[in-house]
Amino acid sequence: MRLTEHDVALVTGGASGLGLATVRALAAEGAKVVIVDLPSSDGKDVAEHLGDAVRFSPADVTSEESVSAALDVAAGLGQLRVVVNCAGIGTASRVVGKNGPFPLDLFRRTVEVNLIGTFNVIRLATERIAHAEPVGGERGVIVNTASVAAFEGQIGQAAYSASKGGVAAMTVPIARELAQSLIRVVTIAPGLFETPMLAGLPEEARASLGAQVPHPARLGRPDEYADLVSSIVRNPMLNGETIRLDGAIRMAPR
């Protein structure tokens, strides 16, 4: 699918990290873009900086009301064609640690944001995209974000791995269902990337993490994730797949 000024992309978690790089890439290709992120994010400033083609709609991806409002913003700009789910949280806790069992509320919140939030956006956006006029044999593309932790979760990542594993697992059934509506669904499973989740670590620690990647031996860059999103949007045969973007890393237990 080739994007035009009449097409709209919606990116959750679009105010920073992988999401922000994706917003920039899709806007550079000519589409209008709606940033969906928390009210406390830098979304408003980012949108103003990127120009009239980019809008910010504050939302919690777990909220039907605020996601629907963001989709209304998208509808006011043109036809929604692309949805990229980057919103997510990272948590770490052992099943039983020094302070007792894994806090159940933390596990529940991680799954709620990363998995249920992703599905909430998919279901609401699909309803809008399904009514679009087909272009080149398709109506739209949905790209989700899992993680290599979905396959090789480390100690302490039970909640995060479960949430991202769910995102990967629902890719095929949703792609099969939405095929009848000419909508593709693809998931990206990033490895170790330079994102706000890692930004708080000392430089030495980040360099050590990057050195664990076989090749290239560094942390991934957000624009490399965005490049893959753009490729997925353009290539009509990419569908129902979870693509690892990880430099061949296979995570160790800790």
Side-chain angles (χ1 to χ4, degrees), residues 3-33:
L3 298 176
T4 72
E5 61 183 4
H6 305 293
D7 300 323
V8 182
L10 182 145
V11 182
T12 73
S16 65
L18 304 179
L20 175 54
T22 302
V23 169
R24 287 172 171 155
L26 295 175
E29 292 189 18
K32 294 183 174 65
V33 187

Side-chain angles (χ1 to χ4, degrees), residues 79-134:
Q79 177 57 60
L80 181 64
R81 296 286 184 186
V82 176
V83 173
V84 186
N85 283 301
C86 292
I89 58 175
T91 56
S93 182
R94 290 175 177 259
V95 176
V96 179
K98 295 179 180 178
N99 298 318
F102 194 125
L104 191 57
D105 285 347
L106 178 61
F107 192 99
R108 183 180 290 113
R109 179 59 180 165
T110 305
V111 173
E112 184 178 16
V113 173
N114 294 351
L115 177 56
I116 298 176
T118 295
F119 182 73
N120 186 43
V121 174
I122 291 172
R123 71 186 186 93
L124 296 174
T126 295
E127 185 179 28
R128 310 290 184 110
I129 299 173
H131 295 295
E133 196 66 31

Side-chain angles (χ1 to χ4, degrees), residues 5-87:
E5 61 183 4
H6 305 293
D7 300 323
V8 182
L10 182 145
V11 182
T12 73
S16 65
L18 304 179
L20 175 54
T22 302
V23 169
R24 287 172 171 155
L26 295 175
E29 292 189 18
K32 294 183 174 65
V33 187
V34 177
I35 296 173
V36 175
D37 215 316
L38 294 172
S40 58
S41 73
D42 294 329
K44 185 174 183 293
D45 292 338
V46 169
E48 290 176 353
H49 176 73
L50 293 178
D52 293 340
V54 179
R55 301 290 177 84
F56 172 58
S57 186
D60 180 332
V61 293
T62 66
S63 163
E64 178 170 356
E65 182 179 5
S66 61
V67 171
S68 293
L71 290 167
D72 287 342
V73 172
L77 297 175
Q79 177 57 60
L80 181 64
R81 296 286 184 186
V82 176
V83 173
V84 186
N85 283 301
C86 292

Side-chain angles (χ1 to χ4, degrees), residues 109-182:
R109 179 59 180 165
T110 305
V111 173
E112 184 178 16
V113 173
N114 294 351
L115 177 56
I116 298 176
T118 295
F119 182 73
N120 186 43
V121 174
I122 291 172
R123 71 186 186 93
L124 296 174
T126 295
E127 185 179 28
R128 310 290 184 110
I129 299 173
H131 295 295
E133 196 66 31
V135 175
E138 57 183 337
R139 288 191 170 93
V141 185
I142 296 171
V143 181
N144 303 314
T145 306
S147 165
V148 295
F151 312 107
E152 303 113 28
Q154 296 184 298
I155 291 171
Q157 286 190 317
Y160 186 72
S161 292
S163 67
K164 293 300 188 177
V167 172
M170 69 182 179
T171 302
V172 169
I174 295 177
R176 286 172 166 172
E177 178 183 344
L178 300 191
Q180 62 187 351
S181 298
L182 307 182

Side-chain angles (χ1 to χ4, degrees), residues 200-215:
L201 295 177
E203 176 59 34
E204 183 179 349
R206 286 189 283 122
S208 176
L209 286 172
Q212 297 176 28
V213 182
H215 179 69

Side-chain angles (χ1 to χ4, degrees), residues 1 138 141-144 184-188 225-239 241 243:
M1 174 176 290
E138 57 183 337
V141 185
I142 296 171
V143 181
N144 303 314
R184 292 187 285 120
V185 181
V186 178
T187 294
I188 300 173
Y225 173 95
D227 284 345
L228 181 53
V229 171
S230 295
S231 296
I232 290 168
V233 172
R234 287 194 298 267
N235 193 326
M237 282 301 289
L238 280 173
N239 193 17
E241 183 61 88
I243 304 170

